[in-house]
Amino acid sequence: WSACGLATNNTNNSQQYCGGSSTDATGRLKVLTGPHAGGNYNILGTPVNGQLPGFSAAQDYNFSPLNYFQRPDTRYTAGEFSEYEINKAVTLYSSFMFMDDHSVAQIAPSGSFFGSTYNVPCNDPLLSSAQAATICGPGVTSGTQTVSIGRRNVEGGGRTADLQHTDYRIVFGAKGDIGQGWTYDVSGQYGRSILTDIEGGYFLNSHLQKALNVVPGPGGVPTCQSVLDGTDGQCVPYNIWSAGGVTPAALNYLTGIAISSGFTQEQVVTGSISGDLGQYGVKSPFSSQGVGISVGAEYRREFIQTAYDATIQSGDLAGAGGATHNTRGSQTDKDIFGELRVPLVTDMQFVKELTFDTGYRYSNYTSGGGNNTYKFALDWQVVPDIRFRGSFERAVRAPNVQELFLPQAPGLIAGTDPCAGTLNATSPTAAQCYNTFVHSAPNLTLAQYTAQYYTPDIGNPNPIVPQCVSAQCNTVTGGNPNLVPEVSDTKSFGVVFTPSFVKGLSVTVDYFDIKVNQAILDAGLPFKSIINGCLGGSTVSCGLINRNPNFDYALFGGNGAANYGLLTTAVNAASLQTKGVDVNADYRFAMRDFGMPDYGSLNFNFTGTYVSSLSTSLPGQDTYNCAGYYGLTCGTPTPKWRHQFRINWITPWNVTLSANWRYLSPTNLDCNSSQTSLAGCGLTATDTNPSDAHIPAFSYFDMAFTWKVKGRYTFRGGVNNIFDRTPPLLDTNNYGISAPAFGNANTYPQVFDPLGRVFFMGVTADF
């Protein structure tokens, strides 16, 4: 199911087909200047009337087979845990954790990506007469013309990323009982995570420009202009103008590597003291238990640093976006906190136990200043069989150092440009589309835009503004040092039922209501929210759109020096709220309890969650609810109901067998919803998508075993997804529904099993 990028037919939206990238294997040519400006052509096509034929979608490149479905990975881990009791008052402890991880990723080849622009001499001896006539005009042999070339490096193979992580953490501490009901715990922690990334197989934009600027040299031999003028004597012509014309020498010249590295580190010092005030007579008159107290303080510092070589900082890697720059930053947090546990009533009629818990923490962040958090909770055990509980919590999450200081870097975002491609009656109006151009072309009037970019495009199969390739527009992501902490309020109410008349049964049901204000969206505002906001006239949304003026104002393209597309850096923007119910049930019994032979015991566990609401409120837009939806706004599916039901048979032969049922309820495509902020798959309220409209309910069944041998060895194994259930297959190439970062390989591997039936086995030895 990952053999190609699935595309949904956007004419009738009722079928899927294998799509691809218009940066293809033989070359797509768009002429930007000269007599044929605006035309799209097939570089190696059979000439028609002395010129190149038009480019068609049939020539799109299937990039999927070269993208690794599962990355190879080698990982080493080690750990140390120690504890030494000097006396009752002093116990020293420490831990050390280490991990080294090495993985290689691969995606489809680099090349000259469609949207990048080059100057091609009209006297390039590598050009055929039809190619020269198409680019420069018939008989023109002087000057240059500007073109965009989309052509994959199929001769050189895929782009690779050699990734290595090294992580370690050290903890030292002391704890003990200092008498009179008091205990303490103090510790210090240091951790560091290091990443090194070596990127290979990428063309260099600067070399591409030189290798395509070819003129007659001595004896008429095709020669790079940079060789003749002495600016780059190593240049080798990149002959994409004839089949088989690309040489190994050209690939060696064009291809480069790039290295980036970085690390985050954390330092924590914390201490707390806890006591039983009951020993001092501090307790409720209705309880025999004393009040418990805990107070403490914590200091935490986080630091991040990234370093990129000159190739990355200049944006010279073709197909890696644009320039990414070094960054560093830190955040410090100083906390004081305290908690109280107050048994109010114990051992009275209808009040077996009634306990009140409260807590308070004051945090002072370098990004966000002082913040207060607190909680109130009540736990009421009516009788041994029934317990009620409820709580209210105010929590604060400060932005982490990646959200604050991660360098802004170019990337891709799933979506389609409503003002590009072939416009029709369902497209936004000229005035609406003009809003999306204002930030990039401030001197362009509405009348000029309508005449040049809108009116000629209606129904035109060769549109003026190019559509984003493979439903992926450009974006700039990264940190935002102006972020402030997000604040959440959580309300929870529940019941615990342990009936004495059913031995071994325990059931809990909890209702939750969580609301987050000033929510940090680390991936920025959703694509549709920015576009729809700008279509509606929001100057803030329009300021996040940077169209490419060198490529007919497309939302992609560029040669690495400038970042075009949408700005989706981390932002405090949203109010998020989710409501639902958690259910958990356990039932255990021995077979002999029911008069059966002593074949061990059975344990049943059921865990489920019902999500009634998962809503988002963005500035100036309607609130939308993603419970039961997936798509370009809601992202990965959020089933309203999901559960796991596991049965364990603990046999008397040191063998445990288990079976598990994983269930996900059906979900629907968000853009088919009637909700205003979600409706419209093509960013219009009338465009729906029946082909990708629905994911049915999914059930997975797994089995596993463990077998203990001689008390020292534990063998384990099993099979997941026994019935080899295929994941749901959705559009990734036209609308971008399951494209990164929402999904991958035409599905959502974060939610559904992408590998099918999987067997596993292993052994643990204790010595």
Side-chain angles (χ1 to χ4, degrees):
W1 49 82
S2 68
C4 68
L6 287 178
T8 299
N9 188 320
N10 61 0
T11 301
N12 55 31
N13 294 341
S14 61
Q15 60 184 1
Q16 293 174 331
Y17 61 93
C18 277
S21 170
S22 57
T23 298
D24 73 348
T26 58
R28 176 185 183 183
L29 173 72
K30 182 178 176 69
V31 181
L32 300 176
T33 60
H36 297 137
N40 283 274
Y41 304 97
N42 176 11
I43 289 178
L44 297 184
T46 302
V48 178
N49 297 325
Q51 294 184 4
L52 295 178
F55 181 88
S56 71
Q59 297 162 228
D60 284 352
Y61 174 71
N62 182 13
F63 53 83
S64 293
L66 282 98
N67 294 347
Y68 282 177
F69 191 85
Q70 183 180 32
R71 295 200 327 236
D73 179 83
T74 303
R75 180 168 52 193
Y76 298 92
T77 61
E80 171 272 330
F81 302 90
S82 60
E83 188 171 289
Y84 181 68
E85 183 177 352
I86 297 176
N87 53 46
K88 185 178 180 181
V90 181
T91 297
L92 303 178
Y93 63 88
S94 72
S95 67
F96 175 75
M97 298 296 294
F98 173 84
M99 188 275 290
D100 182 84
D101 175 84
H102 181 215
S103 179
V104 176
Q106 178 177 287
I107 57 177
S110 181
S112 169
F113 279 86
F114 193 61
S116 299
T117 56
Y118 306 94
N119 295 319
V120 175
C122 293
N123 64 339
D124 183 346
L126 297 175
L127 296 176
S128 69
S129 58
Q131 292 165 343
T134 302
I135 295 173
C136 300
V140 178
T141 59
S142 62
T144 63
Q145 298 294 350
T146 302
V147 301
S148 179
I149 296 172
R151 206 266 190 193
R152 294 279 180 166
N153 176 26
V154 291
E155 295 85 3
R159 290 165 281 173
T160 60
D162 191 315
L163 305 161
Q164 184 161 6
H165 298 88
T166 302
D167 305 332
Y168 59 89
R169 188 193 68 172
I170 305 169
V171 178
F172 291 103
K175 60 185 178 180
D177 186 337
I178 54 180
Q180 302 298 312
W182 293 94
T183 60
Y184 73 94
D185 191 338
V186 294
S187 65
Q189 172 182 310
Y190 176 84
R192 177 176 282 213
S193 297
I194 306 165
L195 168 65
T196 301
D197 180 8
I198 302 175
E199 302 279 343
Y202 283 83
F203 274 3
L204 302 176
N205 286 315
S206 58
H207 287 200
L208 265 171
Q209 180 62 74
K210 297 173 185 176
L212 289 169
N213 187 2
V214 179
V215 296
V221 176
T223 307
C224 297
Q225 177 63 45
S226 60
V227 172
L228 297 178
D229 61 27
T231 57
D232 186 350
Q234 304 300 314
C235 180
V236 179
Y238 184 37
N239 183 10
I240 61 173
W241 308 106
S242 60
V246 178
T247 65
L251 294 182
N252 289 336
Y253 170 73
L254 289 167
T255 307
I257 63 171
I259 301 175
S260 63
S261 62
F263 68 89
T264 60
Q265 70 180 26
E266 184 181 53
Q267 299 161 282
V268 181
V269 178
T270 183
S272 65
I273 183 169
S274 303
D276 179 7
L277 300 184
Q279 297 197 23
Y280 303 91
V282 181
K283 58 184 177 180
S284 166
F286 305 105
S287 175
S288 59
Q289 301 177 19
V291 174
I293 186 173
S294 177
V295 295
E298 182 174 277
Y299 168 86
R300 182 170 61 253
R301 182 177 186 269
E302 296 175 318
F303 178 82
I304 186 173
Q305 178 173 306
T306 62
Y308 303 92
D309 67 8
T311 301
I312 297 177
Q313 292 195 59
S314 63
D316 206 20
L317 294 182
T324 304
H325 302 290
N326 298 343
T327 188
R328 59 184 294 159
S330 65
Q331 173 166 261
T332 301
D333 172 31
K334 301 173 184 178
D335 290 6
I336 57 172
F337 56 86
E339 293 188 52
L340 277 177
R341 184 177 187 275
V342 184
L344 300 174
V345 181
T346 55
D347 297 322
M348 296 184 67
Q349 188 175 14
F350 300 119
V351 187
K352 176 67 177 175
E353 183 177 326
L354 180 63
T355 303
F356 172 71
D357 285 287
T358 186
Y360 173 79
R361 177 182 290 258
Y362 175 79
S363 304
N364 191 296
Y365 301 102
T366 51
S367 62
N371 296 269
N372 300 294
T373 62
Y374 44 86
K375 71 172 183 178
F376 305 100
L378 201 62
D379 192 310
W380 174 26
Q381 186 169 5
V382 184
V383 293
D385 294 17
I386 301 177
R387 179 189 298 268
F388 295 100
R389 57 193 181 191
S391 66
F392 173 85
E393 297 183 20
R394 162 66 58 87
V396 171
R397 186 185 78 85
N400 59 50
V401 287
Q402 294 200 53
E403 292 166 333
L404 288 168
F405 305 113
L406 199 67
Q408 295 189 2
L412 299 174
I413 186 169
T416 55
D417 182 353
C419 300
T422 302
L423 302 180
N424 53 49
T426 65
S427 300
T429 66
Q432 289 176 315
C433 282
Y434 174 67
N435 291 337
T436 72
F437 280 71
V438 170
H439 178 72
S440 310
N443 297 322
L444 185 71
T445 67
L446 174 58
Q448 290 171 332
Y449 164 74
T450 303
Q452 186 172 354
Y453 295 102
Y454 189 86
T455 304
D457 203 10
I458 299 295
N460 182 3
N462 294 306
I464 303 300
V465 181
Q467 183 57 268
C468 297
V469 176
S470 300
Q472 291 185 310
C473 301
N474 281 14
T475 184
V476 177
T477 62
N480 179 357
N482 298 315
L483 293 174
V484 298
E486 57 185 17
V487 181
S488 73
D489 290 330
T490 300
K491 293 175 282 188
S492 178
F493 308 96
V495 59
V496 181
F497 186 46
T498 53
S500 55
F501 54 85
V502 183
K503 182 181 177 182
L505 176 64
S506 174
V507 180
T508 65
V509 180
D510 289 282
Y511 167 81
F512 58 85
D513 180 348
I514 306 170
K515 185 174 184 179
V516 182
N517 293 311
Q518 300 177 165
I520 298 172
L521 305 179
D522 55 4
L525 294 173
F527 180 92
K528 279 187 63 177
S529 297
I530 295 175
I531 295 293
N532 285 349
C534 186
L535 292 174
S538 168
T539 56
V540 174
S541 296
C542 294
L544 301 176
I545 300 174
N546 185 26
R547 292 184 174 275
N548 185 352
N550 301 317
F551 193 55
D552 292 323
Y553 292 101
L555 282 179
F556 67 98
N559 294 52
N563 296 325
Y564 299 111
L566 273 59
L567 181 65
T568 57
T569 52
V571 63
N572 291 101
S575 171
L576 309 176
Q577 187 169 22
T578 183
K579 300 178 182 179
V581 177
D582 286 330
V583 179
N584 186 81
D586 286 287
Y587 181 45
R588 306 176 182 182
F589 67 86
M591 294 187 183
R592 63 174 179 271
D593 294 341
F594 289 87
M596 294 184 288
D598 188 8
Y599 290 150
S601 61
L602 290 175
N603 295 350
F604 299 85
N605 174 260
F606 180 89
T607 302
T609 296
Y610 174 74
V611 179
S612 62
S613 174
L614 181 62
S615 59
T616 301
S617 298
L618 296 173
Q621 300 188 39
D622 293 331
T623 299
Y624 57 86
N625 181 9
C626 284
Y629 289 102
Y630 59 90
L632 290 177
T633 303
C634 292
T636 57
T638 302
K640 286 193 171 184
W641 173 257
R642 66 175 68 199
H643 72 243
Q644 289 198 54
F645 178 49
R646 182 178 295 276
I647 303 174
N648 290 324
W649 176 22
I650 304 172
T651 75
W653 309 293
N654 294 325
V655 175
T656 297
L657 304 175
S658 70
N660 188 43
W661 171 29
R662 295 176 282 146
Y663 176 81
L664 303 168
S665 66
T667 49
N668 297 305
L669 184 61
D670 55 9
C671 60
N672 290 341
S673 165
S674 60
Q675 299 180 56
T676 303
S677 294
L678 299 180
C681 295
L683 304 175
T684 69
T686 59
D687 185 13
T688 59
N689 183 348
S691 181
D692 303 293
H694 182 71
I695 296 176
F698 262 72
S699 288
Y700 294 107
F701 296 92
D702 315 316
M703 295 190 70
F705 75 90
T706 60
W707 177 30
K708 292 187 177 181
V709 179
K710 296 183 178 180
R712 293 180 55 188
Y713 304 99
T714 300
F715 295 89
R716 61 189 181 278
V719 54
N720 292 331
N721 192 1
I722 295 173
F723 299 108
D724 201 20
R725 184 78 189 268
T726 299
L729 305 180
L730 303 162
D731 171 274
T732 191
N733 202 77
N734 195 3
Y735 293 100
I737 294 167
S738 63
F742 302 133
N744 216 335
N746 302 315
T747 189
Y748 295 109
Q750 314 95 313
V751 181
F752 304 96
D753 282 359
L755 296 177
R757 185 187 297 115
V758 173
F759 295 88
F760 63 91
M761 54 196 328
V763 61
T764 300
D766 298 324
F767 52 88

